[in-house]
Amino acid sequence: MKTIQLSGSLRTNVGKTNAKELRIKGLVPCVIYGGKEQVHFQTDIRAFHPILSSPNPYIISVEVNGKTYKTVLQETQFHKINDQLIHADLIEIIKDKPVIVNIPVLLTGQSEGVKKGGKLILKTRKLKCRGLAEELPDNIEVSINELEIGGSISVEDLKAKGVTFLNAKNVTVVTVSTTRAVAAEENAKSATAAPAKSAAPAKSVAKK
């Protein structure tokens, strides 16, 4: 994962009143945990814009009062009305200790099913992954070259070095569904291929 820088200052008061005052000033209360101690700090809300606007996870190098912590974003809270960030939890990266992050899926190649008129549907845009932060990729690449109409790729079909997938194995990641045009074409082919029924012989009527 790529690294991004963030700086802040220690919070001397961690109460709700203080947090509300910080938000009014355009600051976000944050906490770093998972290491030897919890670190409560505040930072400019604008510093989170590049982190939240990207689908990719980051190693966030946080500098607080001269000390640097390597972290990953674990949880965020947003205002119910204006969707503004109001709190962020970060977990400190400890050597040889895996972290859990959501990593976006990146489809590669060209589906055979799509070439034949099928519709490609990405059902799972991010996967919950566990691994060492320095070894986790920016994306989980999924090749769709062999994907035919009606076919799908599930979590159990995926492999990525240094990554353990935590989603259920039967979760569908991507599929190619049929379309009305393809269905109509298949029906037309079936109708053409079907042998024509021979007409029943006419019955003769004996004259009395």
Side-chain angles (χ1 to χ4, degrees):
M1 295 191 297
K2 297 177 182 177
T3 299
I4 193 168
Q5 308 294 324
L6 191 69
S7 61
S9 56
L10 283 173
R11 292 178 63 194
T12 55
N13 188 336
V14 294
K16 291 184 178 180
T17 302
N18 176 258
K20 186 176 181 179
E21 292 174 352
L22 290 177
R23 293 169 187 139
I24 293 174
K25 296 176 182 179
L27 300 174
V28 180
C30 309
V31 60
I32 299 172
Y33 63 93
K36 294 181 180 180
E37 59 182 353
Q38 286 193 356
V39 182
H40 295 268
F41 71 99
Q42 61 200 37
T43 188
D44 193 314
I45 190 172
R46 293 172 294 184
F48 272 96
H49 288 176
I51 298 171
L52 298 177
S53 62
S54 172
N56 302 97
Y58 287 101
I59 293 175
I60 306 173
S61 180
V62 185
E63 183 183 349
V64 180
N65 288 28
K67 189 173 180 179
T68 301
Y69 305 84
K70 279 191 174 183
T71 71
V72 291
L73 187 62
Q74 198 69 18
E75 187 177 354
T76 51
Q77 296 177 26
F78 296 88
H79 194 281
K80 294 181 180 179
I81 297 176
N82 59 24
D83 288 332
Q84 190 174 34
L85 180 66
I86 59 175
H87 189 84
D89 288 351
L90 303 100
I91 187 166
E92 186 174 357
I93 296 173
I94 306 298
K95 186 178 180 180
D96 298 329
K97 184 178 180 180
V99 296
I100 297 174
V101 294
N102 292 316
I103 301 180
V105 171
L106 177 64
L107 302 181
T108 62
Q110 294 184 328
S111 164
E112 290 297 321
V114 172
K115 292 178 183 178
K116 296 173 183 176
K119 182 179 180 181
L120 187 71
I121 303 174
L122 179 59
K123 288 184 169 289
T124 307
R125 296 185 176 276
K126 288 188 176 184
L127 294 167
K128 193 173 185 179
C129 304
R130 181 174 62 207
L132 298 178
E134 293 81 1
E135 296 179 2
L136 289 174
D138 293 328
N139 304 284
I140 301 298
E141 294 190 6
V142 179
S143 173
I144 58 173
N145 285 326
E146 306 300 323
L147 202 55
E148 295 281 358
I149 293 176
S152 63
I153 297 174
S154 302
V155 172
E156 63 183 344
D157 302 316
L158 304 180
K159 290 183 180 180
K161 185 178 180 181
V163 176
T164 298
F165 297 107
L166 301 182
N167 304 77
K169 292 182 178 181
N170 62 349
V171 169
T172 300
V173 177
V174 59
T175 185
V176 175
S177 65
T178 190
T179 60
R180 290 184 180 179
V182 173
E185 184 178 347
E186 291 297 324
N187 290 336
K189 288 181 179 179
S190 299
T192 303
K197 293 182 178 179
S198 58
K203 293 181 179 180
S204 59
V205 179
K207 294 182 179 180
K208 293 182 179 180

